[in-house]
Amino acid sequence: AQRVTQPEKLLSVFKGAPVELKCNYSYSGSPELFWYVQYSRQRLQLLLRHISRESIKGFTADLNKGETSFHLKKPFAQEEDSAMYYCALSGGNQGGKLIFGQGTELSVKP
Amino acid sequence: NAGVTQTPKFRILKIGQSMTLQCTQDMNHNYMYWYRQDPGMGLKLIYYSVGAGITDKGEVPNGYNVSRSTTEDFPLRLELAAPSQTSVYFCASRLTGGESTQYFGPGTRLLVL
């Protein structure tokens, strides 16, 4: 079965500290992985996709097929990074459906 | 472009009442989705549509109905509201093929008492 797991509900760090939000997935084929972010009182928006291999707002994520992981990393957290982060998987299914993880709330303290 | 818009923003329903959550997108996207977001549970897919006249169930369709008469609109209907349907509902859309990013609406917060 397709599944996305984000083991941490809440991650609290100080400004300037490194951040790693964990995401593990279960899928037998070649998935497409995403990170979505939801800032306070705003809609979900795409942060990055593994296919594009880009860095957005200093965040990067590498797909590790051996460990079935897609962890989100940033070397120096900023207060404006405080938000809810969701890892999502698309398995190439009909309709392009996304399967979301439970989400991790990132709190960056001054 | 307004993107994906949803109405209402917030609604309180009594048990057994019905209502329709509206979703409209102006990006000419064929694919549209309805999710519910419960605290600590992430987003669960309720229904989706791959084009006008075509809808299919997602992971949690019970208690909901949808229709897709136009490319732009994808309303979600609650017939007999129950407390378990208290949630935040998000509509999303994306292009067919190619760019697979889903674009989300601002959400509708529903409270069933």
Side-chain angles (χ1 to χ4, degrees):
Chain A
Q2 300 177 14
R3 185 182 300 139
V4 176
T5 303
Q6 294 178 247
E8 303 134 332
K9 282 190 176 181
L10 173 65
L11 186 61
S12 185
V13 301
F14 286 102
K15 177 182 174 181
V19 170
E20 182 179 49
L21 287 81
K22 291 184 168 50
C23 172
N24 290 91
Y25 67 90
S26 173
Y27 183 70
S28 57
S30 294
E32 190 172 358
L33 275 298
F34 305 81
W35 276 100
Y36 279 83
V37 61
Q38 186 178 26
Y39 300 103
S40 180
R41 298 191 183 90
Q42 294 188 28
R43 66 186 72 193
L44 274 83
Q45 56 187 284
L46 179 71
L47 182 61
L48 51 81
R49 308 162 58 199
H50 91 269
I51 284 180
S52 56
R53 300 183 64 83
E54 56 192 342
S55 173
I56 304 292
K57 298 184 178 182
F59 285 97
T60 59
D62 290 317
L63 179 61
N64 186 323
K65 291 187 178 181
E67 296 183 357
T68 60
S69 67
F70 188 56
H71 302 330
L72 183 67
K73 300 177 183 179
K74 184 170 183 176
F76 307 104
Q78 302 300 314
E79 290 180 68
E80 55 265 32
D81 295 329
S82 295
M84 198 74 185
Y85 291 80
Y86 291 96
C87 182
L89 175 155
S90 176
N93 50 70
Q94 189 235 3
K97 295 173 286 185
L98 287 176
I99 297 170
F100 283 87
Q102 302 93 319
T104 296
E105 181 181 355
L106 175 64
S107 174
V108 182
K109 298 179 178 179
Chain B
N1 285 353
V4 181
T5 58
Q6 292 182 238
T7 57
K9 288 184 179 181
F10 176 67
R11 181 79 181 267
I12 298 175
L13 281 183
K14 294 182 179 179
I15 294 172
Q17 286 186 321
S18 62
M19 77 165 292
T20 299
L21 283 68
Q22 301 292 344
C23 174
T24 300
Q25 52 90 12
D26 62 358
M27 298 176 283
N28 202 32
H29 288 172
N30 276 332
Y31 289 6
M32 295 188 74
Y33 311 85
W34 274 106
Y35 295 92
R36 58 177 289 170
Q37 182 187 39
D38 300 316
M41 300 295 290
L43 281 78
K44 302 289 187 185
L45 182 65
I46 304 171
Y47 271 95
Y48 69 101
S49 169
V50 298
I54 306 170
T55 63
D56 206 348
K57 296 178 180 179
E59 187 180 356
V60 289
N62 291 345
Y64 307 94
N65 278 300
V66 294
S67 60
R68 184 94 182 272
S69 57
T70 66
T71 299
E72 295 77 20
D73 300 306
F74 189 40
L76 178 72
R77 179 83 176 163
L78 282 71
E79 291 293 350
L80 293 170
S84 61
Q85 293 176 306
T86 292
S87 189
V88 181
Y89 292 84
F90 287 100
C91 179
S93 71
R94 58 156 279 191
L95 285 169
T96 307
E99 167 62 53
S100 54
T101 301
Q102 289 190 18
Y103 295 87
F104 284 80
T108 293
R109 186 175 297 273
L110 178 65
L111 180 60
V112 182
L113 299 174

